[in-house]
Amino acid sequence: MGRSVREQRQLWFRRLDRAFWLIWAALPVVLWLAYDRTTTASATIAESLIGEQAKCAAIVANPLTMSAKGQALFWSLFALGVSFYAVLIGILHRMVNRFANGRIFVSETLQGVWWMGIFLVVWPFVDTITTVAVTYALYQAGDIKFFLPSYGVDVGTVAGGVFLMALKFVIEQAILLQSENDLTI
């Protein structure tokens, strides 16, 4: 006999839940690749340039040649950037895990959507402020040669967060309507 639509969806969510575990398992590899690219960027650029142009690669900051304070600042900013993705993946994984266990329209799911929305609204501002502050501190310490602040905020991420916050209220209303419907039958 064939599976019901509900069973098929739960099976799909269980597979997705396992895929999230693969993402968590791959995280150390991704972090190593990011570390490697960050620490070898200036050498890679220098290799791609010829003659006098290769000297221009020296303006690309290498965290391994920074002062101890500069390295602490740089790697703290790096960890903050990585934590953004780790938190998002964590929230999504918890939601998918609940879905895999048949708990889709529950208050925990709504709270997850709400917190993800808040996180997406707040993060671009936190990222911009910390990046400018750390860049300025690195410039003052002499670890980077230029201070070129960027005050751009990722409006798409903010809009996505606002959408999720609004979606939470729509889903909440749908749950109320469904519970009223269940009571009348």
Side-chain angles (χ1 to χ4, degrees), residues 94-95 98 103-113:
R94 286 183 62 195
M95 289 173 61
R98 283 189 197 105
R103 297 177 18 224
I104 294 177
F105 293 117
V106 293
S107 63
E108 293 92 2
T109 301
L110 294 178
Q111 283 307 108
V113 170

Side-chain angles (χ1 to χ4, degrees), residues 83-111:
S83 68
F84 168 73
Y85 296 104
V87 168
L88 274 182
I89 291 170
I91 292 171
L92 286 171
H93 188 191
R94 286 183 62 195
M95 289 173 61
V96 166
N97 185 277
R98 283 189 197 105
F99 297 166
N101 293 319
R103 297 177 18 224
I104 294 177
F105 293 117
V106 293
S107 63
E108 293 92 2
T109 301
L110 294 178
Q111 283 307 108

Side-chain angles (χ1 to χ4, degrees), residues 3-173:
R3 292 187 175 128
S4 70
V5 172
R6 182 181 176 145
E7 288 172 336
Q8 288 175 352
R9 285 189 182 142
Q10 277 191 284
L11 178 63
W12 188 83
F13 280 121
R14 283 189 195 107
R15 289 178 183 152
L16 193 56
D17 186 43
R18 278 181 261 167
F20 270 103
W21 285 112
L22 291 174
I23 291 170
W24 288 118
L27 188 61
V29 174
V30 171
L31 288 175
W32 168 252
L33 291 172
Y35 169 83
D36 185 54
R37 293 290 171 124
T38 302
T39 56
T40 60
S42 59
T44 305
I45 292 169
E47 289 173 4
S48 69
L49 300 173
I50 350 172
E52 290 295 313
Q53 293 176 339
K55 293 178 184 176
C56 294
I59 63 171
V60 176
N62 184 348
L64 298 180
T65 61
M66 293 179 181
S67 65
K69 179 183 172 184
Q71 285 186 8
L73 285 168
F74 182 88
W75 292 116
S76 296
L77 184 63
F78 182 84
L80 182 68
V82 168
S83 68
F84 168 73
Y85 296 104
V87 168
L88 274 182
I89 291 170
I91 292 171
L92 286 171
H93 188 191
R94 286 183 62 195
M95 289 173 61
V96 166
N97 185 277
R98 283 189 197 105
F99 297 166
N101 293 319
R103 297 177 18 224
I104 294 177
F105 293 117
V106 293
S107 63
E108 293 92 2
T109 301
L110 294 178
Q111 283 307 108
V113 170
W114 177 255
W115 283 110
M116 193 179 332
I118 288 175
F119 189 67
L120 289 174
V121 166
V122 171
W123 173 254
F125 298 100
V126 170
D127 183 46
T128 299
I129 292 167
T130 56
T131 300
V132 169
V134 168
T135 304
Y136 183 72
L138 290 173
Y139 174 71
Q140 288 296 316
D143 288 323
I144 60 174
K145 296 182 184 346
F146 301 102
F147 175 62
L148 300 170
S150 173
Y151 299 107
V153 174
D154 186 0
V155 177
T157 301
V158 173
V162 171
F163 172 77
L164 287 176
M165 292 167 69
L167 182 64
K168 182 251 186 194
F169 292 113
V170 170
I171 293 173
E172 196 171 51
Q173 184 64 30

